[in-house]
């Protein structure tokens, strides 16, 4: 067998190019399955959310800008042929070259990606500024090629990863159906579930992550029928998870998952390790092979693969809100499920900003901005390029700010909040107590949301980078009232309604 020589420059370029590609191109199989879900969706709220995701996806493909403001932590899977030789690495190892590829991919001046990786996970938690290091897995294989799989995993979906050491007799389906509702909507459904069963604890988690890189083929599987027990299990989980009624963005609907992937590995007779990892609506992964002929690139997809879905603000169904004159009384008048188009100026802030506000209030220090009668948007935007005022700026998971909600509503004059997914009981109690409201923007529609932002400036905590407090000037930014002043949450009522509806449909069909 001939020996293949792969240079450091080719590996670096292949990684950088793959990361740029997946930042703005959805996999074609995801778009095809999401388009089918859109066509069959009966929940108006869920259908609107899917329309925003599909529209955002096409806009990103056309504009070559990130699908989501959270451009992920990089996962790289290397399968190195044992007849491969490496050249030009100097004192660098393969991981150094991969991380240089990540650095170049994320700092590309034409499409800057958000750096989200922190060097010290426990203490200082300082941003590395270039999204390195990647999480790298390397395998030696027969052959003379290097197979490279690159993924960018968002924090919202990665944070919902689950693991359990089951007893051998425990039922996998029961555990999945009990666990998925506890994940909430912070993983931005509709997406996929990757399930790893067997091996040891860390092997099961790796299986679950790797299987998410496989093609989405549930539509074909349903059409031809299962060929083995594992495919039967995939179909059973797909149908039963969707029957939970969680729906797009957790609003209630027919489609929560587009596919369920399962990978297994032999395990100890006393063990049954099970891992479950979701992939979100901004699923990002690419697979290329280096054969020594130069860098490997992905072929751009045809825009004809996207469905003819073009979401635009609907003035007939939605109410325009002037944030510059917003009052507590108007906020208290909003009802769960109301769709609003926000206009005017809002503030932003995430975990680090809230923690600093908490510390300043405890010390009696003056805050850099006045939150009285203001709305805060939980977002960490991508840096702008070209003529943008801000890069993609979709919402972050709101539950991370739950523990700060009472403080913000009681001590700063804040009257409403915007984020993605549900709020927990602590936040809902504070919202109810202060007659406030929580508004939900669609996770997975970051570029579309950014187009509604007409002005952006940092007004506090500039040293926090993307976690700084911005003031956005928005025009017709779409949101849904997810928790109203009475504490009613659409993330409770919506899935409950659709689970009941789907149950009735199942009974009628049976």
């Amino acid at each position: 067998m001939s020996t293949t020589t792969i240079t450091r420059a080719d590996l670096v370029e292949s990684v950088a190019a793959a990361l740029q590609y997946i930042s703005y191109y959805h996999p074609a199989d995801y778009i095809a399955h999401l388009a089918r879900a859109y066509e069959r969706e009966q929940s108006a709220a869920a259908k609107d959310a899917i329309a925003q995701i599909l529209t955002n996806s096409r806009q990103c493909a056309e504009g070559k800008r990130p699908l989501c403001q959270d451009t992920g932590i990089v996962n790289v899977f290397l399968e190195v042929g044992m007849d491969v030789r490496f050249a030009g690495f100097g004192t660098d190892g393969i991981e150094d070259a991969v991380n240089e590829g990540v650095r170049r991919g994320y700092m590309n001046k034409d499409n800057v990606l958000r750096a989200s990786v922190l060097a010290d996970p426990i203490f200082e938690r300082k941003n590395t500024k270039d999204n390195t290091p990647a999480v790298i897995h390397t395998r030696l294989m027969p052959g003379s090629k290097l197979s490279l799989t690159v993924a960018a995993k968002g924090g919202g979906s990665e944070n919902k990863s689950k693991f359990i050491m089951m007893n051998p007799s425990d039922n996998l389906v029961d555990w999945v159906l009990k666990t998925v509702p506890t994940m909430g909507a912070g993983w931005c459904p509709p997406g996929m579930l990757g399930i790893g069963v067997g091996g040891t604890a860390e092997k099961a988690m790796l299986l679950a992550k790797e299987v998410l890189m496989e093609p989405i083929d549930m539509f074909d599987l349903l059409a031809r029928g299962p060929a083995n027990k594992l495919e039967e299990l995939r179909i059973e989980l797909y149908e039963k998870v969707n029957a939970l009624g969680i729906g797009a963005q957790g609003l209630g609907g027919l489609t929560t998952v587009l596919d369920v992937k399962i990978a297994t590995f032999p395990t100890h007779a006393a063990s049954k390790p099970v891992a479950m990892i979701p992939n979100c609506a901004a699923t990002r992964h690419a697979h290329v092979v280096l054969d020594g002929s130069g860098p490997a690139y992905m072929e751009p997809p045809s825009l004809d693969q996207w469905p003819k879905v073009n979401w635009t603000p609907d003035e007939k169904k939605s109410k325009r809100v002037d944030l510059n004159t917003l009052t507590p009384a108007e906020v208290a008048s909003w009802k769960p499920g109301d769709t609003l188009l926000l206009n005017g100026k809002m503030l932003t802030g995430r975990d680090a900003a809230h923690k600093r506000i908490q510390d300043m209030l405890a010390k009696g220090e003056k805050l850099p901005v006045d939150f009285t009668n203001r709305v805060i948007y939980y977002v960490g935007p991508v840096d702008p390029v070209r003529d943008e005022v801000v890069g993609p700026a979709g919402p972050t998971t709101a539950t991370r700010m739950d523990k700060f909600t009472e403080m913000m509503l009681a001590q700063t004059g804040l009257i409403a909040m915007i984020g993605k997914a549900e709020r927990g009981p602590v936040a809902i109690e504070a919202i109810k107590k202060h007659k406030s409201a929580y508004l939900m923007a669609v996770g997975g529609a970051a570029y579309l949301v950014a187009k509604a932002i007409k002005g952006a400036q940092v007004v506090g905590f500039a040293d926090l980078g993307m976690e700084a407090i911005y003031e956005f000037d928005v025009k017709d930014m779409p949101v849904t009232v997810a928790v109203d002043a009475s504490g009613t949450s659409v993330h409770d009522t919506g899935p409950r309604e659709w689970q009941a509806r789907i149950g009735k449909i199942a009974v009628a069909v049976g």
Side-chain angles (χ1 to χ4, degrees):
M1 185 176 288
S2 62
T3 298
T4 299
T5 299
I6 293 175
T7 67
R8 179 184 184 276
D10 287 349
L11 178 56
V12 169
E13 172 62 14
S14 299
V15 171
L19 288 168
Q20 278 288 304
Y21 182 100
I22 64 176
S23 76
Y24 45 72
Y25 287 137
H26 263 129
D29 52 6
Y30 178 82
I31 291 300
H33 280 70
L34 189 62
R36 292 188 184 100
Y38 174 78
E39 289 301 325
R40 67 186 291 266
E41 185 56 69
Q42 298 174 26
S43 161
K47 196 174 184 78
D48 183 78
I50 296 174
Q52 288 192 43
I53 294 169
L54 285 169
T55 302
N56 180 78
S57 178
R58 186 183 179 97
Q59 289 178 349
C60 291
E62 293 170 336
K64 291 185 168 50
R65 289 295 273 146
L67 293 158
C68 180
Q69 79 289 337
D70 182 350
T71 52
I73 182 170
V74 178
N75 293 237
V76 176
F77 302 88
L78 297 167
E79 292 188 349
V80 183
M82 290 187 288
D83 293 304
V84 167
R85 295 183 63 181
F86 294 97
F89 280 72
T91 58
D92 281 356
I94 288 182
E95 293 198 357
D96 297 313
V98 169
N99 283 322
E100 178 59 24
V102 173
R103 188 173 293 111
R104 293 187 191 181
Y106 274 72
M107 300 181 76
N108 185 310
K109 62 180 177 58
D110 294 322
N111 180 39
V112 179
L113 307 181
R114 198 184 81 183
S116 303
V117 172
L118 308 181
D120 179 353
I122 301 177
F123 302 109
E124 292 186 356
R125 293 183 67 83
K126 285 190 176 179
N127 200 301
T128 63
K129 305 294 186 182
D130 57 13
N131 223 55
T132 64
V135 178
I136 304 169
H137 303 279
T138 306
R139 240 186 234 136
L140 285 176
M141 309 289 287
S144 57
K145 296 179 180 179
L146 189 157
S147 174
L148 174 68
T149 300
V150 178
K153 196 67 163 58
S157 63
E158 189 69 4
N159 288 351
K160 302 301 182 179
S161 301
K162 301 296 180 182
F163 176 79
I164 184 173
M165 270 294 189
M166 283 187 174
N167 292 317
S169 61
D170 291 345
N171 186 282
L172 173 65
V173 174
D174 289 347
W175 178 76
V176 171
L177 295 180
K178 179 180 71 174
T179 304
V180 169
T182 70
M183 291 158 51
W187 59 283
C188 286
M192 287 69 63
L193 292 179
I195 298 174
V197 183
T200 51
E202 80 284 1
K203 180 64 175 179
M205 293 300 291
L206 184 56
L207 289 169
K209 180 64 67 66
E210 286 182 305
V211 80
L212 283 172
M213 308 300 139
E214 293 184 359
I216 302 172
D217 63 352
M218 183 54 70
F219 179 78
D220 295 331
L221 177 55
L222 291 170
R224 67 168 168 80
N228 52 51
K229 288 185 177 180
L230 200 61
E231 290 186 346
E232 288 177 7
L233 181 59
R234 284 179 58 200
I235 291 173
E236 180 182 1
L237 284 170
Y238 167 81
E239 292 177 342
K240 289 184 175 179
V241 169
N242 283 328
L244 293 171
I246 294 167
Q249 302 292 302
L251 294 168
L254 297 178
T255 301
T256 303
V257 290
L258 301 175
D259 204 344
V260 177
K261 317 296 288 187
I262 305 173
T264 65
F265 193 85
T267 194
H268 192 285
S271 302
K272 192 175 177 181
V274 177
M276 180 165 63
I277 303 178
N279 235 4
C280 63
T283 179
R284 293 165 295 211
H285 56 88
H287 175 75
V288 295
V289 176
L290 282 77
D291 59 7
S293 63
Y297 297 105
M298 297 280 290
E299 192 72 29
S302 167
L303 292 177
D304 293 338
Q305 295 179 0
W306 274 260
K308 299 293 189 287
V309 177
N310 184 30
W311 184 93
T312 54
D314 190 332
E315 300 175 32
K316 295 179 181 178
K317 295 181 181 178
S318 302
K319 176 186 176 183
R320 276 205 170 90
V321 172
D322 185 350
L323 296 173
N324 300 331
T325 59
L326 188 62
T327 64
E330 185 176 356
V331 170
S333 73
W334 295 336
K335 301 301 179 187
D338 284 355
T339 53
L340 311 176
L341 297 172
L342 303 182
N343 292 269
K345 294 182 178 181
M346 65 175 64
L347 298 169
T348 78
R350 288 171 33 117
D351 314 62
H354 280 77
K355 180 64 171 66
R356 189 171 290 184
I357 289 170
Q358 183 182 56
D359 293 342
M360 292 179 72
L361 289 173
K363 295 174 184 176
E365 296 174 358
K366 185 180 179 181
L367 300 180
V369 289
D370 185 359
F371 286 91
T372 303
N373 289 347
R374 302 296 297 271
V375 173
I376 193 168
Y377 181 27
Y378 302 145
V379 62
V382 176
D383 289 341
V385 297
R386 299 184 285 276
D387 58 349
E388 296 175 344
V389 297
V390 70
T396 198
T397 307
T399 48
R400 299 203 314 275
M401 270 55 74
D402 281 5
K403 63 183 178 182
F404 300 110
T405 302
E406 170 62 26
M407 171 196 75
M408 293 296 293
L409 295 177
Q411 299 183 51
T412 72
L414 187 75
I415 55 175
M417 301 147 284
I418 308 165
K420 79 171 182 185
E422 72 286 345
R423 302 307 298 264
V426 170
I428 290 175
E429 187 56 38
I431 290 168
K432 182 178 178 180
K433 174 182 175 182
H434 295 280
K435 302 298 181 186
S436 177
Y438 165 62
L439 313 175
M440 189 211 79
V442 172
Y447 195 40
L448 183 147
V449 170
K451 290 178 180 295
I453 302 170
K454 305 304 179 183
Q457 62 174 329
V458 174
V459 292
F461 308 155
D463 61 298
L464 295 180
M466 62 96 173
E467 296 241 31
I469 297 177
Y470 287 76
E471 184 175 69
F472 286 168
D473 193 356
V474 299
K475 181 179 180 181
D476 287 346
M477 176 177 164
V479 295
T480 299
V481 179
V483 181
D484 74 344
S486 71
T488 301
S489 170
V490 297
H491 288 99
D492 292 332
T493 58
R496 190 161 56 238
E497 174 192 344
W498 280 93
Q499 185 173 358
R501 285 198 192 190
I502 294 168
K504 291 174 183 176
I505 292 169
V507 170
V509 170

